[in-house]
Amino acid sequence: MSLDTVTDIATSGIGFTLPILVAASGELVSERAGVLNLSLEAMMLTGAFAGVLGAVATGSPVLGTTTAVLAALIFGALQAVWSIGLRADQIVVGIASNALALGATTYGARLLLADGKGHSVVGFEALRIPVLHNIPVIGPALFGQTVLGYLCIALVAGSAFVFSRRTKMGLMIDAIGEDAVAADRTGLPVRAIRYGCVLLAAFAAGLGGAQLALSEVHSFSDNMTGGIGYLAVVAVIAGRWRALGVIWASVFFGIAQALQFALPALGVDVPFALLVMLPYLIAIVAVSGLVGNSRAPRDLTVAFARTS
């Protein structure tokens, strides 16, 4: 295998990794606060659709990204109202949201992006950083991103720092995720912080959807996320609810997705159906406990109700 081939696989792997990673970074914060967002897939798919629609309408990928984030935030607000305000089952809300988003974006694409409007959309172009881009293998992968790609990386790094377990905000979030009732008795605004964490997850998912549609593909197609949102949720679990672990899990899933296209190009005779299944098979192994046991936040998916 030549160095160019390895570089291409690494570049493709990072391209698949970034949408997973940025969405997982927001989901990590939300789950640490006790709210599971299976609707992350809906947020990403809606963000991708709205991003392309915004870019088509305005001719600007920046405004398209803004539209993507706003659309994802609307879904995030609905998730927060249902699961936090109305104390609905978080898993049921997530599944229903994903079904709603799939139907709405498919219909919206037929209605608003017909006649090829959703294809070859103006998007972000690669911005290669001099010198660093020439580093073998990792240079083109990490330092040949678009402006939006660098923004996603910055969000991941900033989130890991601001919400780390060494900051006051990170400790508050962990306290709520472990025992929301006890945290409420100490004076922490449990509902407000949970609302904020869900909206952060939605913001990150919207960026992930825009990154996929406007940086990687430059188009929109039905169900184009194809389970990436679910992989982001699994990355949080596989990463044991720690930022570094989530990063490694996201990279692993991204490379697994890239192999779907790399292996046939290399002449490796593997059934395509197996390649499509590969990231999800790995995800099942990751959450089965075969790669090490981990403990979720104790109040994850537990609705908060103030006691007298």
Side-chain angles (χ1 to χ4, degrees):
M1 187 182 296
S2 67
L3 181 61
D4 289 342
T5 301
V6 175
T7 301
D8 289 342
I9 293 175
T11 302
S12 179
I14 293 299
F16 282 109
T17 294
L18 271 182
I20 299 174
L21 177 57
V22 69
S25 67
E27 177 63 12
L28 171 62
V29 177
S30 181
E31 289 193 24
R32 284 172 55 194
V35 182
L36 172 66
N37 299 292
L38 282 183
S39 59
L40 211 63
E41 175 78 3
M43 298 173 193
M44 293 189 73
L45 182 59
T46 304
F49 169 73
V52 168
L53 185 62
V56 168
T58 64
S60 168
V62 175
L63 293 178
T65 301
T66 303
T67 306
V69 170
L70 290 175
L73 284 172
I74 291 173
F75 250 103
L78 291 174
Q79 165 82 37
V81 169
W82 287 331
S83 60
I84 301 172
L86 301 179
R87 294 184 287 168
D89 186 287
Q90 295 174 16
I91 295 175
V92 174
V93 168
I95 294 173
S97 297
N98 292 336
L100 174 62
L102 178 59
T105 56
T106 299
Y107 178 72
R110 300 282 193 279
L111 187 66
L112 301 173
L113 296 176
D115 301 324
K117 292 180 182 178
H119 301 286
S120 301
V121 177
V122 58
F124 295 94
E125 299 300 329
L127 181 62
R128 296 177 175 85
I129 298 179
V131 181
L132 295 177
H133 180 265
N134 297 324
I135 299 174
V137 182
I138 64 170
L142 292 179
F143 304 109
Q145 296 295 323
T146 64
V147 172
L148 182 55
Y150 292 123
L151 178 60
C152 289
I153 293 173
L155 176 65
V156 172
S159 176
F161 174 76
V162 173
F163 302 107
S164 76
R165 289 176 168 83
R166 297 184 178 181
T167 66
K168 180 180 179 180
M169 180 57 69
L171 292 174
M172 290 167 61
I173 288 171
D174 282 345
I176 291 171
E178 286 297 322
D179 192 333
V181 173
D184 178 66
R185 288 172 179 169
T186 64
L188 292 181
V190 173
R191 287 195 179 90
I193 290 178
R194 282 188 168 182
Y195 268 102
C197 290
V198 171
L199 291 177
L200 173 65
F203 179 87
L207 275 187
Q211 168 68 14
L212 179 64
L214 299 179
S215 287
E216 300 296 333
V217 184
H218 289 203
S219 67
F220 179 82
S221 58
D222 295 347
N223 194 28
M224 71 177 300
T225 50
I228 290 178
Y230 290 116
L231 287 179
V233 174
V234 172
V236 175
I237 301 171
R240 304 182 185 184
W241 291 274
R242 295 187 177 276
L244 187 59
V246 170
I247 290 172
W248 283 116
S250 299
V251 170
F252 194 71
F253 290 146
I255 292 175
Q257 285 200 307
L259 289 177
Q260 295 179 23
F261 307 95
L263 291 181
L266 293 173
V268 179
D269 187 15
V270 179
F272 182 73
L274 180 60
L275 293 176
V276 173
M277 290 166 56
L278 182 60
Y280 305 99
L281 290 174
I282 295 173
I284 291 172
V285 173
V287 300
S288 66
L290 296 178
V291 294
N293 295 322
S294 59
R295 187 183 70 82
R298 196 176 73 176
D299 272 8
L300 181 61
T301 73
V302 177
F304 167 70
R306 177 171 291 165
T307 58
S308 56

